[in-house]
Amino acid sequence: MEKFDVIVIGSGVGGMACAEALQSAGKKVAVVEMDLWGGTCPNRGCDPKKVLIGAVEAKTQIRQLQGKGFAGLPKIDWPQLMAFKKTFTDPAPKSFQGSLNAAGIETVKGQAAFVSQDTLQVGSRQLQAKDIVIATGQRPNLPAIPGAEYLHTSTDFLSLPELPREMIFLGAGYITFELATIAATCGSQVTIVHHNSRPLRAFDEQLVQEMTAQMTAQGITFVWDTAITAARVVAENRLQLLTAGEKSYTADYVVAATGRIPNLEGLDLEKAGVAVNRGGVAVDEFLQTNVPHIYACGDVVAKHRPKLTPVATFEGSYVASRILGKAAAIDYPLIPTIVYGSPKLAETSQMIADSKAGETEKYLDLTNWFTYRRVNEAVSKAKLVKNAEGVLIGASVLSERADDMINFLTLCIQQKLTAADFEKMIMGYPTIASDLSYLV
Ligand SMILES: Cc1cc2nc3c(=O)[nH]c(=O)nc-3n(C[C@H](O)[C@H](O)[C@H](O)COP(=O)(O)OP(=O)(O)OC[C@H]3O[C@@H](n4cnc5c(N)ncnc54)[C@H](O)[C@@H]3O)c2cc1C
């Protein structure tokens, strides 16, 4: 039996943040990982996706400037782009394991399963600790339909050696919006099929409609209110998707981005008596499970907050501080969420659900603002929510620069900045930051 102060299961951003903080506070820590060191974000999530988005952004700006300095669109060379992406993903696992080891953290390769409340089995090894942190993340959920084995996931898409000619994305969540934008901009004919007509439910409906209109104008087809009932192969590299009605859809490649499910199987949580629900591991406001010395952080947690990298990191750091004796419950700051489509859509996650007295919301059309007109963006809009005192409390932005803008606005909201505060500051001009005084 090998003994540690803390064992972290999963080496994603949540587990890493937790393990590194505990180790630097003098704890003896082990991290168990059954797949790629570093988890989803650097290997099959945010980072590889954002590398591909880099090419999308470059081509989009040239498309916007057709007849305004550019004549003709460049072609994205998919195999070359994938080779560039691999320069980020290939070294990632070794680099993440190396940084854990360099910090003095024991890395254990294999699937961890609870034997009891303080002991884990990993292959032939038994590891014991006073505190255990479950940071096992989520994985793509394929729909339960006949022929599901022919469908692909976001992970497959991010490693495609050749770009398929015609693609269908199932489910209109943020992952579909992003990967479909990449595929379409790189030259694939793309259709998105969704079971209802309200995609990106967590985002402002009006701005979502503007976004889908822009994506439609770029050649992406949306099919609403359509549930796929089965998938079958109709020719070599050709798949047919059947619906309850007469309609069917065919493509060379189908990505099912129909939700993600928490990685709980194989953990044998019942042997430790840890409670779970449909959303993942059930925790309290201290990220403790019903077994107080077993914690959970990151995407595996059942929560009403967005399952995103900075949220998992924040939670991992919080769990470390809790194990080290912190008394206060976790206090989440404002969380910005971004859909890297074209245009991008971003908002502060705590947009006001039920308006309170005196709150106002207004939509601003920014399309003719210098920032956006100089690159000839088709549409740029913002929705701003202010409290009775006129202070910005929520924001939603649609533009090619929405990712940077939402972070600036999050800072303004978090710090309760007003136009009067901006009068005391000078921002470099012309930039999106120099627009802020007109938005707060
Ligand atoms: C395509 C895609 C794009 C995304 N884009 C963004 C983005 O742009 N911005 C953003 O903020 N977020 C993005 N996300 C979400 C982000 O990647 C996750 O929120 C984040 O990676 C969660 O980190 P985590 O530590 O909770 O879990 P993970 O990173 O998933 O790590 C969990 C680890 O646990 C391991 N594991 C599971 N079970 C066991 C076991 N029994 N024993 C041992 N190891 C185990 C897994 O192998 C995995 O490595 C994206 C996700 C996807 C899929």
Side-chain angles (χ1 to χ4, degrees):
M1 181 82 72
E2 300 167 66
K3 299 202 169 172
F4 298 90
D5 294 323
V6 185
I7 303 170
V8 179
I9 313 173
S11 72
V13 286
M16 293 272 294
C18 185
E20 285 174 350
L22 288 166
Q23 178 71 27
S24 59
K27 296 280 182 190
K28 187 180 179 204
V29 182
V31 176
V32 188
E33 174 56 60
M34 62 186 249
D35 190 9
L36 297 175
W37 293 97
T40 303
C41 180
N43 291 298
R44 48 179 177 265
C46 340
D47 294 357
K49 174 198 79 188
K50 196 75 195 284
V51 174
L52 305 185
I53 293 283
V56 170
E57 288 170 331
K59 186 169 174 181
T60 298
Q61 198 159 121
I62 294 174
R63 176 173 48 76
Q64 289 170 182
L65 293 172
Q66 289 300 296
K68 295 185 165 47
F70 280 96
L73 270 181
K75 185 178 170 307
I76 296 176
D77 183 315
W78 182 264
Q80 258 187 36
L81 180 59
M82 285 313 257
F84 182 50
K85 184 226 75 167
K86 278 160 76 69
T87 65
F88 295 85
T89 49
D90 283 359
K94 195 165 166 222
S95 154
F96 280 96
Q97 185 178 18
S99 75
L100 286 170
N101 291 147
I105 295 167
E106 174 91 9
T107 53
V108 183
K109 190 76 205 249
Q111 180 166 17
F114 281 89
V115 176
S116 66
Q117 290 194 340
D118 66 359
T119 306
L120 297 171
Q121 188 79 41
V122 185
S124 57
R125 293 168 73 174
Q126 284 214 331
L127 317 177
Q128 192 181 56
K130 188 173 153 295
D131 295 298
I132 296 179
V133 182
I134 304 167
T136 52
Q138 296 188 109
R139 65 179 184 282
N141 179 34
L142 286 177
I145 56 169
E149 66 274 21
Y150 304 121
L151 309 179
H152 295 275
T153 65
S154 57
T155 307
D156 302 326
F157 175 88
L158 290 170
S159 290
L160 263 175
E162 300 287 338
L163 185 68
R165 203 178 44 83
E166 215 181 325
M167 299 180 69
I168 294 176
F169 289 84
L170 297 183
Y174 85 93
I175 291 179
T176 278
F177 270 72
E178 296 177 342
L179 303 189
T181 299
I182 294 168
T185 311
C186 291
S188 195
Q189 186 62 49
V190 171
T191 301
I192 296 174
V193 180
H194 193 53
H195 63 96
N196 62 36
S197 54
R198 175 64 172 102
L200 299 176
R201 193 167 282 281
F203 290 80
D204 179 76
E205 187 167 9
Q206 199 169 315
L207 296 186
V208 170
Q209 279 173 8
E210 294 271 11
M211 186 183 194
T212 53
Q214 288 306 311
M215 291 170 71
T216 304
Q218 290 159 31
I220 294 176
T221 303
F222 287 91
V223 177
W224 304 121
D225 297 314
T226 300
I228 298 303
T229 53
R232 65 180 189 200
V233 176
V234 284
E236 197 183 345
N237 293 328
R238 196 77 188 151
L239 217 56
Q240 183 183 36
L241 300 178
L242 306 176
T243 66
E246 293 193 345
K247 271 250 180 230
S248 70
Y249 300 88
T250 52
D252 306 326
Y253 195 87
V254 179
V255 177
T258 41
R260 292 174 58 77
I261 43 172
N263 290 321
L264 300 173
E265 296 77 6
L267 277 171
D268 290 346
L269 287 173
E270 63 289 352
K271 293 197 181 145
V274 173
V276 298
N277 62 38
R278 257 188 66 223
V281 178
V283 293
D284 61 15
E285 68 273 32
F286 303 100
L287 299 189
Q288 279 165 283
T289 67
N290 56 316
V291 183
H293 67 272
I294 301 180
Y295 300 76
C297 64
D299 282 8
V300 76
V301 171
K303 59 185 168 190
H304 297 294
R305 299 223 157 49
K307 294 192 170 184
L308 293 169
T309 281
V311 182
T313 307
F314 187 83
E315 290 174 351
S317 303
Y318 171 80
V319 168
S321 66
R322 177 77 183 155
I323 290 172
L324 293 169
K326 188 182 176 99
I330 187 164
D331 183 13
Y332 291 92
L334 205 59
I335 301 168
T337 54
I338 302 161
V339 184
Y340 293 94
S342 181
K344 299 180 182 79
L345 178 61
E347 79 180 36
T348 52
S349 68
Q350 287 149 18
M351 286 291 280
I352 316 307
D354 304 307
S355 345
K356 296 191 191 76
E359 277 174 13
T360 55
E361 68 175 45
K362 74 171 174 194
Y363 290 89
L364 283 183
D365 190 343
L366 316 177
T367 316
N368 281 321
W369 288 27
F370 179 73
T371 304
Y372 305 99
R373 201 163 78 79
R374 83 184 170 87
V375 282
N376 198 33
E377 282 203 22
V379 61
S380 313
K381 294 202 166 171
K383 175 181 160 181
L384 304 169
V385 184
K386 294 192 173 178
N387 66 14
E389 288 75 49
V391 178
L392 189 67
I393 52 172
S396 195
V397 189
L398 180 75
S399 86
E400 292 295 337
R401 300 297 306 276
D403 49 349
D404 291 330
M405 183 54 107
I406 203 65
N407 282 332
F408 280 128
L409 289 171
T410 301
L411 195 69
C412 294
I413 296 169
Q414 191 96 35
Q415 298 302 317
K416 301 186 170 51
L417 298 182
T418 63
D421 293 306
F422 277 92
E423 280 171 18
K424 295 180 221 143
M425 292 185 262
I426 292 180
M427 297 283 158
Y429 176 86
T431 61
I432 57 166
S434 57
D435 290 342
L436 284 172
S437 60
Y438 306 106
L439 293 170
V440 295

